[in-house]
Amino acid sequence: MNTIPSTVPHFAIAIDGPAASGKSTIARLLAERLGLIMVNSGAMYRAVTWKVLQENIDPHDNAAVLAMMDRIRIDCGHDGITSTIAIDGINPEEELRSEAINANVSAVSAIPEVRSKLICLQRGYLQHSSIVMEGRDIGSVVFPDTPYKIYVDADEEVRAARRTDAGEVDSVAKRDAADSGRKTAPLMVAEGATILDNSHHTIDSAVEAAIDILKQQGLEILD
Ligand code: CDP
């Protein structure tokens, strides 16, 4: 494990990128290597979508989704390694990667008020620990001032194949188009982010590449 000097105040490493680019795996292993908490912001959008579908709400009915958001309790925490989320006391983790959630999460996450509520919870993590947070708008909106930003990309065929290999039904191209085309916080390469092309890396070499980028961005990492 590499370490960060204990004198360094809390900071966020932002990992953004399109669906199935490998950003979760890189974020998780980076957090493990550096002794930080990994926060999966996509899981929060997925959990809200899970609740929307549970309640038979039309994901495109913004007013109904917002009324639900006002009603529910969202508890964000972590288990010492990664973020956890519970909605009205239930952790829906096992169901978050279902076909139905894959198909509807982009609509729910395009609603600005859903985003502002979740962004507030995302920023809250930094009060307690240093984090690696992955998502779509972490470097651009959630933590625009962090100097540590990586945009993980990969060829579309590679990404689609990764999802199929994982046994998931997920139209990554459709989700990317929705996430990149939305008005609020679209998927983009944040200012100051370095692109890591993960089309041909092994997992280990991708993590090494990420560590090199972070060192270049000024993060003090002890070997
Ligand atoms: O793991 P994968 O890349 O497939 O997606 P995810 O990170 O679980 O995110 C699922 C969806 O949540 C994305 O397609 C976005 O619509 C939304 N999302 C977002 O809008 N902003 C974030 N920071 C994270 C996810």
Side-chain angles (χ1 to χ4, degrees):
M1 180 165 126
N2 305 75
T3 48
I4 308 286
S6 56
T7 47
V8 174
H10 291 168
F11 62 91
I13 297 174
I15 312 274
D16 291 300
S21 56
K23 60 189 183 313
S24 304
T25 307
I26 293 175
R28 186 169 44 78
L29 293 173
L30 255 185
E32 203 177 295
R33 282 272 292 267
L34 303 177
L36 310 177
I37 302 291
M38 189 281 224
V39 183
N40 180 346
S41 68
M44 300 184 189
Y45 292 96
R46 287 175 179 274
V48 169
T49 306
W50 168 81
K51 187 70 174 170
V52 165
L53 298 177
Q54 281 263 311
E55 298 211 348
N56 287 318
I57 293 169
D58 174 359
H60 297 275
D61 182 344
N62 289 18
V65 174
L66 292 185
M68 184 204 85
M69 287 297 278
D70 283 341
R71 231 178 19 242
I72 61 175
R73 205 184 77 228
I74 305 178
D75 294 306
C76 291
H78 64 80
D79 58 11
I81 297 173
T82 56
S83 55
T84 55
I85 182 161
I87 301 215
D88 289 339
I90 298 175
N91 176 350
E93 197 178 325
E94 299 297 315
E95 297 171 55
L96 293 186
R97 306 210 65 95
S98 71
E99 182 176 356
I101 291 179
N102 284 341
N104 288 292
V105 63
S106 290
V108 173
S109 66
I111 302 173
E113 295 86 346
V114 170
R115 304 199 68 80
S116 49
K117 196 156 185 174
L118 294 187
I119 285 170
C120 216
L121 295 168
Q122 289 156 12
R123 289 187 177 141
Y125 275 97
L126 210 50
Q127 286 170 7
H128 308 286
S129 37
S130 293
I131 55 176
V132 179
M133 187 177 289
E134 57 118 341
R136 301 292 187 288
D137 60 341
I138 311 307
S140 57
V141 176
V142 184
F143 296 117
D145 295 333
T146 181
Y148 316 122
K149 302 182 187 184
I150 302 179
Y151 184 93
V152 181
D153 208 349
D155 297 341
E156 192 174 309
E157 312 81 72
V158 173
R159 295 189 290 113
R162 280 187 187 143
R163 272 297 129 94
T164 314
D165 291 350
E168 262 190 58
V169 181
D170 187 9
S171 171
V172 294
K174 213 167 152 188
R175 210 143 53 79
D176 288 347
D179 293 342
S180 306
R182 71 184 173 213
K183 282 208 189 86
T184 310
L187 169 65
M188 60 187 286
V189 181
E191 202 183 319
T194 301
I195 297 175
L196 194 171
D197 184 344
N198 192 28
S199 307
H200 306 293
H201 272 296
T202 62
I203 292 175
D204 286 346
S205 69
V207 175
E208 290 308 325
I211 288 192
D212 285 346
I213 289 171
L214 292 170
K215 284 180 175 170
Q216 277 164 26
Q217 290 177 340
L219 185 62
E220 201 181 342
I221 299 175
L222 307 174
D223 290 316

